[in-house]
Amino acid sequence: METSDECFHAAVEVARKAGEEIKVAFSSEKRIQTKSSATDLVTETDIKVEKMIISTLKEKFPTHSFIGEESAAAGEKVELTDNPTWIIDPVDGTTNFVHGFPFVAVSIALSVNKKVVVGIVYNAILDYMFTAQLGKGAFMNGKPIHVSGQEDIKKTLLIAELGKSRDAKVLDIIFGNLREFYNEENITHGCRILGCATLDMCQVASGAGDAYYMSGKYGIGVWDMAAGALIVTEAGGVVIDTTGGPFDMMSRRVLCASSEKLARTIAEALTQLD
């Protein structure tokens, strides 16, 4: 039976290899296709990198299961069981990747008994490697990181995403939620939209941002959340459902914050997007 350390080191190694491929492709001409909509992009790099990660890890851990964003888009069933399962987003921030915006990352998580025990998020463009193992803390480029501990919504730098939907009713909810944090009662220091969920969560883990939320089927999946959620909690942060309930990485909803108090304040202000 392989140890958590063995799985961790294998994940770091393959993440670096994936990062090398992404970095080379970042400045090259890209072949772009769409998936569920005109704003849901995929490139040959997404597909190539995911295949490489899965084949590499499958060779080391033949009994493990796999969930990959592009495999799911191609029709493979997404099923999380108690079996050790690798959860992979080969290129999180594909739209950023297409446009040359440097917030792009490969995300790799390992779930055992439906609990994430290893999380890796690597932005090869900026060379930021975020890592965590359950119970062992969170790190960026080998140095410990911690959340800010901020509790006051009025002193918060918030991170959010707009998602891929262009439906008017969906956008009304999304922008309505943002307005909640620009009024007199809940006014924040500001909001940042980076276009990369995994790196959004890592900003909270490192203390650069104080909270991040995203919900609904319009732009987030388990591959966007699994590694980042572990990194946030290992950095001392809180991860819950946007409804205020317990976090379920298969739910397509996440709210992470630097403190329990801040998480609850944000959850209470949000209108849910089912």
Side-chain angles (χ1 to χ4, degrees), residues 18-30 45 97 124-125:
E20 290 172 6
E21 294 194 17
I22 292 168
K23 192 172 183 179
V24 169
F26 186 75
S27 55
S28 304
E29 186 176 347
K30 305 169 184 72
T45 303
F97 175 73
I125 313 305

Side-chain angles (χ1 to χ4, degrees), residues 11 20-21 33 39 63 71 80 96 115 122 132 152 164-166 173 262:
E20 290 172 6
E21 294 194 17
Q33 300 177 10
T39 58
T63 62
S71 302
L80 184 65
N96 290 350
K115 189 174 185 66
Y122 182 41
D152 187 349
K164 297 181 177 69
S165 175
R166 298 297 181 263
I173 294 173
L262 184 58

Side-chain angles (χ1 to χ4, degrees), residues 1-271:
M1 180 69 179
E2 61 279 340
T3 66
S4 175
D5 283 346
E6 288 173 331
C7 293
F8 173 79
H9 291 302
V12 169
E13 183 179 348
V14 76
R16 287 204 180 277
K17 185 177 178 182
E20 290 172 6
E21 294 194 17
I22 292 168
K23 192 172 183 179
V24 169
F26 186 75
S27 55
S28 304
E29 186 176 347
K30 305 169 184 72
R31 295 180 183 177
I32 307 163
Q33 300 177 10
T34 59
K35 294 189 283 188
S36 63
S37 70
T39 58
D40 190 7
L41 307 182
V42 62
T43 71
E44 58 188 358
T45 303
D46 296 71
I47 297 167
K48 179 183 176 183
V49 168
E50 182 172 305
K51 287 181 178 177
M52 182 277 291
I53 294 171
I54 292 176
S55 64
T56 301
L57 293 175
K58 189 172 286 187
E59 185 175 347
K60 291 179 182 291
F61 311 111
T63 62
H64 289 192
S65 302
F66 294 85
I67 295 174
E69 179 179 16
E70 305 314 327
S71 302
E76 286 193 20
K77 186 177 181 181
V78 176
E79 185 177 17
L80 184 65
T81 67
D82 288 338
N83 193 53
T85 302
W86 293 95
I87 304 168
I88 300 157
D89 191 339
V91 183
D92 188 27
T94 298
T95 301
N96 290 350
F97 175 73
V98 165
H99 288 274
F101 190 70
F103 286 87
V104 176
V106 54
S107 177
I108 302 172
L110 175 64
S111 170
V112 179
N113 295 320
K114 298 180 183 177
K115 189 174 185 66
V116 177
V117 297
V118 169
I120 312 293
V121 174
Y122 182 41
N123 179 347
I125 313 305
L126 301 177
D127 196 25
Y128 292 158
M129 171 75 81
F130 296 92
T131 62
Q133 282 182 270
L134 185 63
K136 296 186 177 182
F139 301 83
M140 186 185 81
N141 293 346
K143 296 181 180 180
I145 55 174
H146 304 280
V147 297
S148 67
Q150 183 60 253
E151 295 186 335
D152 187 349
I153 188 70
K154 295 182 179 180
K155 297 178 180 180
T156 293
L157 182 62
L158 184 67
I159 303 172
E161 294 293 345
L162 302 181
K164 297 181 177 69
S165 175
R166 298 297 181 263
D167 179 84
K169 292 181 180 178
V170 172
L171 290 174
D172 282 345
I173 294 173
I174 291 171
F175 287 118
N177 282 334
L178 284 176
R179 282 194 295 270
E180 286 294 321
F181 306 108
Y182 279 83
N183 61 39
E184 291 184 2
E185 182 180 354
N186 285 333
I187 190 168
T188 60
H189 278 176
C191 179
R192 300 293 178 262
I193 297 173
L194 303 180
C196 182
T198 56
L199 290 176
D200 290 337
M201 299 178 80
C202 289
Q203 303 315 299
V204 176
S206 66
D210 301 302
Y212 160 74
Y213 71 86
M214 183 66 188
S215 67
K217 66 181 181 179
Y218 303 101
I220 196 163
V222 61
W223 37 80
D224 296 304
M225 301 185 286
L230 178 66
I231 293 167
V232 170
T233 55
E234 287 296 315
V238 175
V239 181
I240 61 174
D241 192 285
T242 54
T243 63
F247 172 61
D248 174 3
M249 62 181 166
M250 300 300 285
S251 71
R252 313 194 80 161
R253 296 186 301 272
V254 64
L255 193 169
C256 57
S258 55
S259 66
E260 181 77 25
K261 180 179 180 181
L262 184 58
R264 296 296 167 192
T265 299
I266 293 170
E268 288 171 6
L270 291 176
T271 297

